[in-house]
Amino acid sequence: MTIEREKLHRFLRDMLLARVFEERAAEEYAKGNIVGFLHLYPGEEAVGVGLIHAAEPADYIVSTYREHVHALVRGVPPENVMAELFGRRTGMSGGMGGSMHLFDRERRFMGGYAIVGETYPIAIGIAYAVSMRKLPEAVICLFGDGAANQGTFHESLNMASLWRLPVLFACENNRYAIGTEIHRHSAVTEVYKRAAGYNIPAEKVDGMDVVKVHEASLRALQRIRAGDGPQFIEFETYRYRGHSMADPGSYRPAVELKAFQVHDPISAEIRELEYRFPDVDEMAQAGIDNVARLADHMRKLGHATEADVENVRKSVHKIVEDAVAFAKQSPEPTMDVAWRAMRGGQDGEILTQQANP
Amino acid sequence: MTIEREKLHRFLRDMLLARVFEERAAEEYAKGNIVGFLHLYPGEEAVGVGLIHAAEPADYIVSTYREHVHALVRGVPPENVMAELFGRRTGMSGGMGGSMHLFDRERRFMGGYAIVGETYPIAIGIAYAVSMRKLPEAVICLFGDGAANQGTFHESLNMASLWRLPVLFACENNRYAIGTEIHRHSAVTEVYKRAAGYNIPAEKVDGMDVVKVHEASLRALQRIRAGDGPQFIEFETYRYRGHSMADPGSYRPAVELKAFQVHDPISAEIRELEYRFPDVDEMAQAGIDNVARLADHMRKLGHATEADVENVRKSVHKIVEDAVAFAKQSPEPTMDVAWRAMRGGQDGEILTQQANP
Amino acid sequence: MAEELLYWQALNRALDVEMSEDESVFTLGEDVGLYGGTYRVTEGLYAKYGEWRVRDTPISENSFTGLGVGAAMAGMRPVVEIMTINFALLALDAIVNMAAKIPLMSGGQFQMPLVIRVPGGVAKQLGAQHSQRLEHTMMNVPGIHIAVPSTPQDAYWQLRQAIASSDPIILLEHEMLYFSKGPVDVTADAPDLHRAIVRREGSDLTIVSYSRMAVLAMQAAEQLAKEGIAAEVIDLRSLSPIDWDTCAQSLEKTHRLLVVEEDCRFAGAGAEIAATLVERCFFVMEAAPVRVAALDLPTPFNGTLEAASIPRLQDIVEAARSLHQPAAPQA
Amino acid sequence: MAEELLYWQALNRALDVEMSEDESVFTLGEDVGLYGGTYRVTEGLYAKYGEWRVRDTPISENSFTGLGVGAAMAGMRPVVEIMTINFALLALDAIVNMAAKIPLMSGGQFQMPLVIRVPGGVAKQLGAQHSQRLEHTMMNVPGIHIAVPSTPQDAYWQLRQAIASSDPIILLEHEMLYFSKGPVDVTADAPDLHRAIVRREGSDLTIVSYSRMAVLAMQAAEQLAKEGIAAEVIDLRSLSPIDWDTCAQSLEKTHRLLVVEEDCRFAGAGAEIAATLVERCFFVMEAAPVRVAALDLPTPFNGTLEAASIPRLQDIVEAARSLHQPAAPQA
Ligand SMILES: Cc1ncc(C[n+]2csc(CCOP(=O)(O)OP(=O)(O)O)c2C)c(N)n1
Ligand SMILES: Cc1ncc(C[n+]2csc(CCOP(=O)(O)OP(=O)(O)O)c2C)c(N)n1
Ligand SMILES: [Mg+2]
Ligand SMILES: [Mg+2]
């Protein structure tokens, strides 16, 4: 299967939008306009873009606290995403959720969850509803390498397999759980291998290559719609920034050296492993930045010139500037919105109807 | 490795004691002298006897609510086990714990736990202490097939492997979690296969054969003491009685037939699987009762005559009768024992010393 | 046209009716299907509705409760059975961080039509780990509603109302009440899900209670009547929200408050009940409120000690007596 | 010889001293080692004591907290750090069903020298799932002790005392206090781990509070003093057990009680505080107790609403004012 021109252009545009949106959010955070935890996506764009573009409008997305880009790719207007980071009434969660809790019911963006390991049960629950209704819909469940150690991973994958639920378990393996490198938090560092414990078909994909990500995701979603039950993909990726804006990320690998001066065999063994991984600059030099990689790819195919790429870059900058302006001008929510939400919010009938097709 | 004569006699005696003790407890329960949940072990004796006889006195045992026999084999006097079921002060937990919470600190019987999945974290915690002290001790962690679906299984096995903790994960797979047959609660029904997700060596053993159980356990414990880290054994066994005295166990397979009259593809598939399993009577006829099997084995080897077996049977009946009498005569505990326990109980210094050898 | 039903039968009937009327209602939990439910509440439903609507789950409380949350977000009306409240501790993240918070975190985009049924309370020598009372923990979670039926009729009404509601509701069923019998009129109009009921009128003091203790409070009131003490007994029926008006009105009349709970005394449900009622009724109260509650101790296994660890009929009667004729105030 | 330390530095110092004095003390949690701890409490300890005594764990709260329980049973003195209280919901089975119950269930054979450190409270726009306050949930668990230091000195003392104790103790640290500075005298004698402290004397009313709200209460008291209202401020320092005598003595003098808590009002920690103090001091109280607490709402993300969802300085001042000059009693 080869990915057609238009799609590649859409990918390039979304990846650039993602990169620019996040870096701009970082600026606003530095200025104090965005407060709280802010987990950014630079370095991982190929995963979100390639994966979510493989989903149908009727599919559901369940994401984590590092989900701004997932929402953008799903089609949520940038201004509503940015406004939520600002905590404004026009934000996609009405200013009630914030950066880690983005929801868009109409687009079936079922939320960002901030307690690691929560996306699994939510995803199998939605999938259970889909199965009962015998609909050709799939649920994409996102999670990181660190989240694969939470008990809900085990419990939920078992149930998903037991009942053949339509879930695509998508692991964004960026090799770190905050400051803890994967060799130090998981006995088996190839996350996809754990799926075998539940009879779930799994594969590992280069998450720095948007085309590979997209193709693997399409295949998995096809199998799900064909009734093959849950599928599992591990995307190998890397985040350039710290875990969140509160984290300089200096443990990669500066701190490590210092800390590992404690002499004992196991830490020595780990040190040796740590060194196999490049730091931010090395990644850049190695030229494996996923956005740059796609741009090159398109140039080689003659799909895009340097100028085209520049134009896209310009246009997304404009979009992001407008988003920030929109957020800043937006009003704050009022407490009665909160109280109303507690009393049931908007009605849940639209979805309920589908229960009896 | 062949098991010597004395050991076989010890096994026979303990298995008969186990069988008689449990059946007698059932009688006392029927009479109302024992109240609460009572989970019995008939059918699974070969596992507890073969496994726990492989442990050294310095090893630790962490068990479940189906643990009377584990305590007996560990050497706790039958009268103290029985007295605990009666809730008397002379019980091994002072009448405070009951059938599901048997503790014997001196024998390193670290408790029976009634919340499914609790034995894993307790076991790795004790093992962590052992590792810090660099002692040649091992921790035996018992759990059932149903317990393998609890999140703590995943979390704890990962940590055990990550830090090479000295734990023997011993699964008593009796194919049922109360009324739910293993094919309906686990996507992978060979529990030992799940250990691969944590790089833990694992094997499956015939839990109806006490000799095989014992030999496999010895091998695993040797590897642990040799510093190979955690080991995993799945013992295939079967419980003859219901889940507890409150459970007639009629779902095996009577209820199943009726309930499966609901026609849908998945239940059909399950029905077909259910039928592969014999019910209680079939087991008996098939003559695979584990106690009978050992007796035959010993007769064949010329280790024991019909009369020898009868004598052992008589002696254990006497022991159990005395245990019941002891329990009945024992005084009830007083509330101040409970309050004292809350204020720290007896001191924990003995073990603490070992922290600094 | 009321029929005599056991508490579990009333729940079974309510669940059956709701499932037959709305395909989006389904139930799941350990052994709810083939086995028919530990306390028989789901008996017969597996054969009638099939395994997708009566789902036996693995022992994975946090995830199957979270499954209920996800299904509710997708428009279903899940009724999750957690086999006993003791295991709900494993599912608190799903209850507290998901079910209770998603409606607000989503800015009101999602409702949470989720019912969680949990048998609880102190039964007979089940040991410390199986004698949990978590009403207080649940009460402290904004967004979670809690119903505590003490009669078969309320069990029937409140389960049906809980399923019909769009809020996350925990139905706390008491293990010692499943086999208690009582009249159930399926045609009668139900009082509001969260309305308290005055089970017995009296002018000398007000006993506020719920679940099994409300039944014990009624027995105590009868005994007290023989001694000439007229106790008014209020069965809260709901622990979140609490029907304060009904309680306050009673205190205007009796001026004395006795709270009876099976929860541990320290920071138990009774603390909130006493605190708020004192705040509301301070100037009509003629004596300090009194709480009769469980000892602040994990439940001992021994039967005698277990019985002494929670309020007994006599404890309630004596507390009522001394509240009625108080010793001289030691100010 | 007191030095000025930040709250986190005082905790770091206390942990360092205990670890250097007793090899059975070790700490574990997410990012406590290499990373130095989310709030820097374990900074430098990994390099000093090595990875077995400062263990970075996977994201597996229930199991690594349970690991602490098992290690404590084997004679160690584990200090488990749960990165924030919000994740403690996942570890409640280990805390409630294991740590709190094993001493009693084993008939007193096992002690539980376990310390669980948890940052908590409402910080700055961390969203509903990261603004949990569970003091109340923990208070309702017999067997669990809870310390709530509000100053660097108490943080130092109470962490050291908690590690030395043989009871399971939860140290609730407030996320907004880690960077607050104060004098710490490591040589001074510490008051009992569970003793409350009168931070400021006054005769008009008693403000009972704890943790960050105790700091706010002190500021309110200063403001009130300017208005001629003398508020006595009690910092509980411990939520389980609670030092009732210190509170009662104060009420004998002031006759008025104001409870200030960050916990949600309904069934919050303040409920127990108000309920017990009314029971004990009913006849000396001249007004109904008043609770200033958080709204019964998951915390909204928006900064303005978040700030309005928990007690602010002005809320305390106003509540104190009207308690001091009450409106006519509506009896
Ligand atoms: C249950 C729980 N424990 C701890 C945390 C704190 N925390 C937030 S993100 C994170 C690391 C998660 O790593 P990973 O799953 O790999 O996702 P990534 O951040 O790398 O995308 C941790 C420990 C949390 N939010 N929830
Ligand atoms: C967390 C939890 N959930 C549910 C239960 C109720 N329960 C007690 S034993 C049991 C079945 C356990 O099956 P298995 O692990 O196979 O052990 P077995 O009883 O077969 O020996 C269940 C569901 C429990 N005790 N704890
Ligand atoms: Mg990661
Ligand atoms: Mg089993």
Side-chain angles (χ1 to χ4, degrees):
Chain A
M1 159 179 43
T2 66
I3 309 254
E4 61 283 5
R5 198 171 189 289
E6 297 62 35
K7 237 181 190 178
L8 290 178
H9 273 281
R10 186 63 206 277
F11 290 173
L12 179 65
R13 182 259 183 196
D14 282 0
M15 286 171 74
L16 281 169
L17 173 63
R19 178 69 56 94
V20 173
F21 183 97
E22 294 288 73
E23 293 301 339
R24 191 71 176 74
E27 281 173 38
E28 292 302 315
Y29 181 93
K31 290 186 200 150
N33 293 331
I34 294 175
V35 184
F37 289 142
L38 189 69
H39 305 84
L40 303 177
Y41 206 61
E44 310 187 27
E45 293 89 348
V47 178
V49 172
L51 168 66
I52 292 173
H53 272 302
E56 294 296 327
D59 293 339
Y60 297 84
I61 315 287
V62 181
S63 190
T64 68
Y65 46 85
R66 196 183 298 284
E67 87 283 38
H68 313 156
V69 170
H70 301 145
L72 289 171
V73 179
R74 185 59 172 175
V76 180
E79 58 266 33
N80 303 116
V81 181
M82 190 63 81
E84 189 58 36
L85 307 193
F86 276 70
R88 302 306 168 93
R89 185 186 303 176
T90 53
M92 54 189 290
S93 302
M96 294 293 161
S99 162
M100 306 195 288
H101 305 298
L102 303 180
F103 290 80
D104 184 332
R105 191 151 167 288
E106 298 321 313
R107 293 184 177 80
R108 300 196 164 182
F109 193 82
M110 308 301 279
Y113 296 88
I115 306 296
V116 169
E118 285 186 334
T119 60
Y120 315 112
I122 295 280
I124 65 172
I126 296 167
Y128 196 88
V130 170
S131 293
M132 286 184 73
R133 299 168 186 157
K134 303 188 168 51
L135 295 170
E137 302 167 346
V139 182
I140 293 176
C141 175
L142 287 137
F143 60 97
D145 50 296
N149 296 319
Q150 194 59 272
T152 47
F153 172 95
H154 181 68
E155 299 176 341
S156 299
L157 268 68
N158 181 51
M159 286 187 269
S161 177
L162 209 46
W163 306 325
R164 292 238 182 78
L165 303 179
V167 183
L168 169 51
F169 292 101
C171 178
E172 297 183 304
N173 179 0
N174 59 14
R175 297 170 168 153
Y176 278 86
I178 301 188
T180 305
E181 203 275 334
I182 189 166
H183 291 83
R184 301 178 58 247
H185 71 60
S186 291
V188 168
T189 55
E190 292 183 295
V191 185
Y192 80 97
K193 288 186 175 171
R194 287 184 164 175
Y198 318 97
N199 272 334
I200 295 178
E203 68 175 312
K204 181 162 72 172
V205 170
D206 177 357
M208 303 308 273
D209 184 329
V210 68
V211 174
K212 291 209 185 82
V213 168
H214 188 66
E215 288 174 349
S217 305
L218 282 174
R219 283 194 303 271
L221 287 167
Q222 268 161 11
R223 286 194 295 270
I224 289 171
R225 289 185 223 290
D228 295 356
Q231 305 291 316
F232 189 111
I233 306 179
E234 171 185 359
F235 298 105
E236 291 191 294
T237 180
Y238 195 83
R239 63 169 154 78
Y240 298 163
R241 292 181 156 274
H243 169 72
S244 74
M245 285 301 289
D247 167 27
S250 50
Y251 45 83
R252 303 182 309 173
V255 178
E256 298 184 6
L257 280 162
K258 218 165 76 284
F260 277 103
Q261 276 149 4
V262 186
H263 299 306
D264 85 41
I266 294 186
S267 62
E269 166 202 338
I270 291 166
R271 175 161 69 254
E272 187 257 16
L273 293 166
E274 305 286 359
Y275 287 157
R276 284 215 245 89
F277 295 107
D279 66 12
V280 184
D281 305 342
E282 286 160 8
M283 295 281 294
Q285 287 156 21
I288 53 171
D289 169 56
N290 60 69
V291 182
R293 194 154 146 187
L294 173 62
D296 294 345
H297 179 65
M298 289 175 70
R299 273 193 294 274
K300 286 200 195 71
L301 292 175
H303 284 345
T305 65
E306 193 54 63
D308 296 334
V309 178
E310 251 336 285
N311 291 335
V312 180
R313 203 182 295 275
K314 282 209 196 68
S315 70
V316 297
H317 268 286
K318 170 87 173 59
I319 291 170
V320 172
E321 283 316 313
D322 295 348
V324 171
F326 173 85
K328 285 182 175 165
Q329 293 152 14
S330 297
E332 302 210 350
T334 52
M335 199 62 95
D336 58 284
V337 177
W339 290 117
R340 208 176 324 112
M342 297 288 281
R343 286 193 304 273
Q346 60 191 75
D347 77 25
E349 292 322 297
I350 305 102
L351 280 168
T352 313
Q353 295 318 326
Q354 303 183 356
N356 327 323
Chain B
M1 160 175 46
T2 67
I3 307 254
E4 59 283 7
R5 199 169 187 290
E6 297 62 33
K7 237 181 190 177
L8 290 178
H9 274 282
R10 185 65 206 275
F11 290 173
L12 180 64
R13 181 258 183 199
D14 283 1
M15 285 170 75
L16 281 169
L17 172 63
R19 178 71 55 93
V20 172
F21 184 97
E22 294 288 74
E23 293 300 341
R24 191 70 175 78
E27 282 173 36
E28 292 302 316
Y29 182 93
K31 290 186 202 149
N33 292 331
I34 295 176
V35 184
F37 289 142
L38 189 70
H39 306 83
L40 303 177
Y41 206 61
E44 311 188 26
E45 294 90 348
V47 179
V49 172
L51 169 65
I52 292 172
H53 272 302
E56 297 295 328
D59 292 339
Y60 297 84
I61 315 285
V62 181
S63 190
T64 69
Y65 45 85
R66 197 184 297 285
E67 86 283 39
H68 314 157
V69 171
H70 302 144
L72 290 172
V73 180
R74 186 57 173 175
V76 180
E79 58 266 32
N80 301 117
V81 181
M82 191 62 81
E84 189 59 34
L85 306 193
F86 276 71
R88 301 306 168 93
R89 186 187 303 177
T90 54
M92 55 190 290
S93 303
M96 294 295 163
S99 162
M100 306 196 288
H101 304 299
L102 303 179
F103 289 80
D104 185 332
R105 191 151 164 288
E106 298 320 314
R107 293 185 176 78
R108 300 198 164 181
F109 193 82
M110 307 302 278
Y113 296 88
I115 306 296
V116 169
E118 285 186 333
T119 60
Y120 315 113
I122 295 280
I124 64 171
I126 296 166
Y128 196 90
V130 169
S131 292
M132 286 184 73
R133 300 167 185 159
K134 303 190 169 52
L135 295 169
E137 304 167 347
V139 182
I140 293 176
C141 175
L142 287 137
F143 60 98
D145 51 296
N149 296 318
Q150 195 58 274
T152 47
F153 172 94
H154 181 68
E155 299 175 341
S156 299
L157 268 69
N158 181 52
M159 286 188 268
S161 177
L162 208 47
W163 307 324
R164 294 237 182 78
L165 302 179
V167 183
L168 169 52
F169 292 101
C171 178
E172 298 184 302
N173 179 0
N174 59 14
R175 296 173 170 148
Y176 279 86
I178 303 187
T180 304
E181 203 274 336
I182 189 164
H183 291 83
R184 301 177 60 248
H185 71 59
S186 291
V188 168
T189 56
E190 293 183 296
V191 185
Y192 81 98
K193 288 187 175 171
R194 286 185 165 174
Y198 318 97
N199 271 333
I200 295 178
E203 68 176 311
K204 181 162 71 174
V205 171
D206 177 357
M208 304 307 275
D209 183 329
V210 68
V211 174
K212 290 211 184 80
V213 169
H214 188 67
E215 289 175 346
S217 304
L218 282 173
R219 284 194 303 271
L221 288 166
Q222 269 162 8
R223 284 194 296 272
I224 289 172
R225 290 185 222 288
D228 295 357
Q231 305 290 316
F232 189 110
I233 306 179
E234 170 185 358
F235 297 105
E236 291 191 294
T237 181
Y238 196 83
R239 63 168 155 79
Y240 297 163
R241 290 182 156 274
H243 169 72
S244 73
M245 285 301 289
D247 168 26
S250 51
Y251 44 84
R252 300 180 314 173
V255 177
E256 298 184 5
L257 280 164
K258 215 167 75 289
F260 277 102
Q261 275 148 6
V262 186
H263 300 305
D264 83 42
I266 295 187
S267 60
E269 170 200 333
I270 292 167
R271 175 162 68 255
E272 189 259 16
L273 293 165
E274 307 282 1
Y275 287 158
R276 283 215 244 90
F277 295 107
D279 65 13
V280 184
D281 304 341
E282 288 162 6
M283 296 281 294
Q285 289 155 20
I288 53 172
D289 168 57
N290 60 71
V291 182
R293 194 153 144 187
L294 173 61
D296 294 345
H297 178 66
M298 290 174 71
R299 274 194 293 273
K300 285 200 196 69
L301 291 175
H303 284 344
T305 66
E306 192 55 63
D308 296 336
V309 178
E310 248 340 281
N311 292 335
V312 180
R313 204 183 295 275
K314 283 209 195 67
S315 72
V316 297
H317 269 287
K318 169 92 172 59
I319 291 170
V320 172
E321 283 316 314
D322 295 348
V324 170
F326 174 85
K328 285 182 174 164
Q329 293 152 15
S330 297
E332 302 212 351
T334 53
M335 198 63 94
D336 58 283
V337 176
W339 290 117
R340 209 177 322 110
M342 297 289 281
R343 286 193 305 275
Q346 62 192 71
D347 78 23
E349 293 322 297
I350 305 99
L351 279 167
T352 314
Q353 295 317 326
Q354 303 182 354
N356 327 321
Chain C
M1 55 195 58
E3 20 174 1
E4 288 285 313
L5 291 181
L6 298 174
Y7 190 86
W8 73 263
Q9 292 171 317
L11 290 164
N12 177 264
R13 192 76 65 91
L15 193 51
D16 192 359
V17 174
E18 291 298 324
M19 288 183 76
S20 65
E21 290 179 358
D22 181 351
E23 280 192 17
S24 62
V25 177
F26 71 100
T27 187
L28 78 165
E30 291 151 14
D31 289 306
V32 295
L34 207 49
Y35 191 79
T38 317
Y39 292 99
R40 307 181 60 177
V41 174
T42 53
E43 196 172 85
L45 301 180
Y46 184 85
K48 184 169 178 184
Y49 297 102
E51 67 185 351
W52 278 91
R53 292 187 65 194
V54 184
R55 175 61 72 184
D56 281 319
T57 66
I59 306 170
S60 309
E61 281 79 5
N62 202 14
S63 292
F64 70 68
T65 304
L67 186 160
V69 172
M73 291 176 79
M76 305 300 289
R77 299 192 159 275
V79 178
V80 174
E81 172 178 305
I82 295 180
M83 193 181 271
T84 78
I85 191 98
N86 311 288
F87 321 139
L89 283 165
L90 291 155
L92 279 185
D93 186 65
I95 296 170
V96 177
N97 271 325
M98 299 180 192
K101 293 184 171 63
I102 287 169
L104 180 134
M105 293 197 303
S106 65
Q109 290 179 80
F110 289 93
Q111 295 184 302
M112 195 52 61
L114 172 70
V115 177
I116 300 175
R117 291 186 38 250
V118 272
V122 176
K124 284 217 174 325
Q125 290 189 255
L126 301 188
Q129 290 192 320
H130 277 71
S131 304
Q132 208 77 49
R133 289 130 291 172
L134 293 187
E135 39 263 51
H136 204 289
T137 298
M138 305 296 185
M139 285 169 71
N140 193 221
V141 183
I144 293 294
H145 296 235
I146 308 168
V148 280
S150 70
T151 67
Q153 179 72 74
D154 278 344
Y156 178 82
W157 278 335
Q158 292 185 292
L159 176 52
R160 291 203 59 183
Q161 291 168 314
I163 293 172
S165 157
S166 289
D167 300 312
I169 297 179
I170 292 175
L171 198 71
L172 283 180
E173 303 164 4
H174 200 291
E175 293 169 13
M176 297 297 283
L177 293 178
Y178 282 110
F179 295 91
S180 64
K181 216 186 194 69
V184 176
D185 181 343
V186 298
T187 60
D189 295 343
D192 180 278
L193 171 58
H194 299 293
R195 168 82 51 239
I197 286 183
V198 176
R199 296 258 181 229
R200 178 191 181 107
E201 305 224 334
S203 54
D204 293 338
L205 74 155
T206 300
I207 303 180
V208 174
S209 193
Y210 58 92
S211 190
R212 186 184 154 234
M213 285 297 145
V215 178
L216 222 57
M218 286 298 285
Q219 295 168 15
E222 270 164 38
Q223 201 164 313
L224 288 163
K226 300 201 189 83
E227 306 175 16
I229 301 176
E232 179 144 307
V233 178
I234 294 177
D235 180 350
L236 288 177
R237 299 177 70 248
S238 166
L239 284 177
S240 186
I242 286 177
D243 175 4
W244 298 120
D245 293 346
T246 298
C247 300
Q249 278 158 28
S250 175
L251 285 175
E252 303 266 328
K253 177 174 61 177
T254 66
H255 312 295
R256 285 176 155 68
L257 172 65
L258 180 67
V259 179
V260 182
E261 64 180 325
E262 195 175 296
D263 204 350
C264 292
R265 176 194 176 86
F266 189 79
E272 174 61 37
I273 297 167
T276 291
L277 288 177
V278 166
E279 284 158 12
R280 278 189 59 153
C281 310
F282 187 77
F283 292 104
V284 305
M285 290 179 72
E286 291 168 4
V290 174
R291 282 180 282 167
V292 177
L295 296 179
D296 292 313
L297 204 64
T299 311
F301 172 72
N302 171 272
T304 313
L305 300 188
E306 177 187 60
S309 73
I310 57 173
R312 289 156 299 195
L313 184 55
Q314 266 334 89
D315 301 323
I316 304 173
V317 171
E318 280 155 28
R321 261 195 222 116
S322 47
L323 176 59
H324 183 242
Q325 297 125 340
Q330 2 86 297
Chain D
M1 58 198 56
E3 14 172 4
E4 289 285 313
L5 291 181
L6 296 175
Y7 189 88
W8 74 262
Q9 292 172 317
L11 290 164
N12 178 265
R13 192 77 66 89
L15 193 50
D16 193 1
V17 174
E18 291 297 324
M19 288 183 75
S20 63
E21 291 178 359
D22 182 350
E23 279 191 20
S24 63
V25 177
F26 71 100
T27 187
L28 77 163
E30 291 152 14
D31 289 306
V32 296
L34 206 51
Y35 191 80
T38 316
Y39 292 99
R40 306 180 62 178
V41 174
T42 52
E43 196 173 85
L45 302 180
Y46 184 85
K48 185 170 178 183
Y49 297 103
E51 66 184 350
W52 278 91
R53 293 187 65 194
V54 183
R55 175 60 73 184
D56 281 319
T57 66
I59 306 170
S60 308
E61 281 80 5
N62 201 16
S63 292
F64 71 67
T65 304
L67 186 159
V69 172
M73 292 175 78
M76 304 300 290
R77 299 193 160 273
V79 178
V80 174
E81 172 178 305
I82 295 180
M83 192 181 270
T84 78
I85 190 100
N86 311 287
F87 321 139
L89 283 166
L90 292 155
L92 279 185
D93 186 65
I95 296 170
V96 177
N97 272 327
M98 298 182 192
K101 294 186 169 63
I102 287 169
L104 180 133
M105 293 196 302
S106 65
Q109 291 179 78
F110 289 93
Q111 293 183 300
M112 196 50 61
L114 172 70
V115 176
I116 300 175
R117 293 186 37 248
V118 271
V122 176
K124 283 216 176 326
Q125 288 190 257
L126 301 188
Q129 289 192 320
H130 277 70
S131 305
Q132 207 78 49
R133 288 131 291 170
L134 292 187
E135 39 264 51
H136 203 287
T137 298
M138 305 295 185
M139 285 168 71
N140 193 222
V141 183
I144 293 295
H145 295 235
I146 308 168
V148 280
S150 70
T151 67
Q153 179 74 71
D154 279 344
Y156 178 82
W157 277 334
Q158 294 184 291
L159 177 52
R160 290 203 62 182
Q161 291 168 315
I163 293 172
S165 159
S166 290
D167 300 312
I169 297 179
I170 291 175
L171 199 71
L172 283 180
E173 304 164 4
H174 200 292
E175 293 169 13
M176 298 297 284
L177 292 177
Y178 283 110
F179 295 92
S180 63
K181 216 186 195 67
V184 176
D185 181 342
V186 298
T187 60
D189 296 343
D192 181 279
L193 171 58
H194 298 292
R195 169 83 48 238
I197 285 182
V198 176
R199 296 258 180 228
R200 178 191 180 109
E201 305 224 333
S203 54
D204 294 337
L205 74 152
T206 301
I207 302 180
V208 174
S209 192
Y210 59 91
S211 191
R212 182 180 157 238
M213 285 296 144
V215 177
L216 222 56
M218 287 297 285
Q219 294 167 16
E222 270 164 39
Q223 200 165 313
L224 288 162
K226 299 202 189 82
E227 305 175 14
I229 301 176
E232 180 145 302
V233 179
I234 295 177
D235 180 349
L236 288 178
R237 298 178 68 250
S238 167
L239 284 177
S240 185
I242 285 177
D243 175 4
W244 297 120
D245 294 345
T246 299
C247 300
Q249 277 158 30
S250 175
L251 285 175
E252 304 263 327
K253 177 172 65 177
T254 67
H255 312 295
R256 285 177 156 68
L257 172 65
L258 180 67
V259 179
V260 182
E261 66 180 323
E262 196 175 296
D263 205 350
C264 291
R265 177 195 174 86
F266 188 79
E272 174 60 36
I273 298 168
T276 292
L277 287 177
V278 167
E279 284 158 12
R280 281 189 57 150
C281 310
F282 187 77
F283 291 105
V284 305
M285 290 179 72
E286 290 168 6
V290 175
R291 283 181 280 167
V292 177
L295 297 180
D296 293 312
L297 204 64
T299 311
F301 171 72
N302 172 273
T304 312
L305 300 189
E306 176 186 60
S309 73
I310 57 174
R312 289 157 298 195
L313 183 54
Q314 266 334 89
D315 301 323
I316 304 173
V317 171
E318 281 155 26
R321 262 194 222 118
S322 46
L323 177 58
H324 182 244
Q325 296 123 340
Q330 0 85 296

